Amino acid sequence: MTSEKPSASRRTVLTALAAAATAGPLLGQLASATPAFAETTDPTEYPSNTRMYQELAGQEGTSFSRRYRRHEKSDLKMSEKYDFPRTAILALHGGGIEIGTTELCLGIAGYSPADADGPPVLPTTHDYFMFEGLLSSGNRALHVTSKNCDDHVALSLAASHLNVLSLHGCQYDQLALPATADYPPNNDRRLAVVGGLNPVFRAALVKELRLAGFPAVDSLSPEYATLLRNFNGDHVDNPCNRTMLRMGAQLELTTELRESLFDNPTSRGNRATTWNGEFVKFRDACRRAVATVEAGQPIL
């Protein structure tokens, strides 16, 4: 989901982008391996990453970016076994598309949002992938629904890990929760909707986020399964579930929650440098949930 409302059709935005396009690097997508997707009914939506990369050829680094880290691991001793990366963090709609998800992706992975190219700032790191909208406005035009994601790096990262935590943004009103005294609880519109097909991961995230002071609900629990069915990340083609175990976790975070993690959330530059104590609490809660899940996955 996204925190921005579409301000223009995708075609209108693309026309403006094409006029300003500059030559730049573009990671090649293998056409022969590209699955076919039906066109979406939303004119602001691309049907796949491949289609978007084709239409925005030459604009990587100006209109959008892709960044990832895969940490080198090796086992070269015949008599010993070594750890391996078990969890990857994804921000498929980062940058200006769903604000705050880029910074959270870096933070949960163990890096500073202010220095993505720098060394880790936490002792344990996780592999990650981020797609980011770089436009000054209209980043909604760069959105690809998760189940239609066919970026080869994102999918290979998911497929090579036991777990994926995928970060997304939504607006509270999009959730269409009942307008009663209980919604939002305590009039708090900061809400984390926890989804994905891994029930252990979901339970760990709900527990740790609540303990850290953030409202969180399991979107697949009986109480919310119907209400939040469009936000539960249960599609088998959602990258969060395209893991070695065919299940993972997803967070849909309301605008109010994401904005509360920064003293100034108005731009990428400001978010990179004004993340605050709430950001640290949220980051660490997610990392504890990841550690809980991994503790139940011993190396064979």
Side-chain angles (χ1 to χ4, degrees):
M1 303 306 294
T2 179
S3 62
E4 293 188 6
K5 295 180 180 179
S7 57
S9 72
R10 172 165 64 87
R11 190 65 59 186
T12 299
V13 174
L14 288 177
T15 300
L17 291 176
T22 58
L26 183 70
L27 296 179
Q29 295 291 311
L30 302 179
S32 61
T34 302
F37 291 100
E39 287 285 348
T40 174
T41 56
D42 184 347
T44 68
E45 286 272 337
Y46 282 97
S48 67
N49 289 76
T50 295
R51 179 70 63 81
M52 175 165 53
Y53 300 155
Q54 290 170 344
E55 293 194 17
L56 299 185
Q59 298 184 42
E60 185 160 6
T62 55
S63 298
F64 70 94
S65 71
R66 290 175 283 180
R67 294 187 287 175
Y68 70 92
R69 284 206 196 207
R70 303 196 73 162
H71 298 84
E72 183 177 0
K73 296 284 186 178
S74 60
D75 181 351
L76 304 177
K77 296 185 178 180
M78 297 177 66
S79 60
E80 298 180 26
K81 63 181 180 181
Y82 289 81
D83 199 0
F84 63 94
R86 282 171 279 182
T87 302
I89 315 299
L90 304 183
L92 301 178
H93 308 136
I97 307 173
E98 294 168 357
I99 65 166
T101 56
T102 284
E103 294 76 19
L104 281 173
C105 180
L106 289 168
I108 296 168
Y111 293 88
S112 169
D115 188 14
D117 297 331
V121 296
L122 296 173
T124 301
T125 59
H126 302 290
D127 293 350
Y128 66 80
F129 171 88
M130 304 181 298
F131 176 90
E132 301 165 276
L134 304 181
L135 301 174
S136 58
S137 64
N139 283 285
R140 179 66 174 80
L142 302 174
H143 187 277
V144 174
T145 299
S146 294
K147 66 183 179 64
N148 289 349
C149 175
D150 64 346
D151 184 285
H152 296 157
V153 177
L155 295 187
S156 67
L157 200 68
S160 61
H161 287 72
L162 296 174
N163 316 298
V164 160
L165 175 58
S166 189
L167 304 165
H168 297 269
C170 64
Q171 299 175 50
Y172 185 89
D173 292 337
Q174 285 179 303
L175 302 176
L177 292 169
T180 68
D182 295 329
Y183 293 94
N186 301 317
N187 201 33
D188 189 352
R189 291 166 66 93
R190 300 176 309 142
L191 183 63
V193 177
V194 184
L197 293 177
N198 188 329
V200 175
F201 208 164
R202 293 200 314 271
L205 285 164
V206 170
K207 175 183 176 181
E208 293 295 345
L209 288 172
R210 287 178 176 176
L211 287 174
F214 298 98
V217 297
D218 183 343
S219 60
L220 289 166
S221 66
E223 180 181 1
Y224 292 102
T226 299
L227 289 170
L228 297 175
R229 61 185 179 276
N230 294 326
F231 298 85
N232 62 17
D234 70 343
H235 199 286
V236 294
D237 286 335
N238 187 319
C240 80
N241 297 318
R242 298 184 68 166
T243 67
M244 294 169 65
L245 301 177
R246 301 301 296 171
M247 59 182 180
Q250 172 179 290
L251 290 177
E252 286 276 7
L253 310 175
T254 61
T255 305
E256 290 82 0
L257 192 158
R258 286 174 284 127
E259 289 183 342
S260 74
L261 308 180
F262 308 92
D263 293 335
N264 186 348
T266 58
S267 69
R268 288 185 297 116
N270 288 330
R271 290 191 297 274
T273 57
T274 68
W275 46 281
N276 55 30
E278 292 299 291
F279 179 96
V280 173
K281 289 195 297 184
F282 193 96
R283 176 199 71 186
D284 291 351
C286 292
R287 286 174 60 85
R288 286 193 297 271
V290 168
T292 295
V293 174
E294 290 189 345
Q297 298 169 331
I299 304 170
L300 299 178

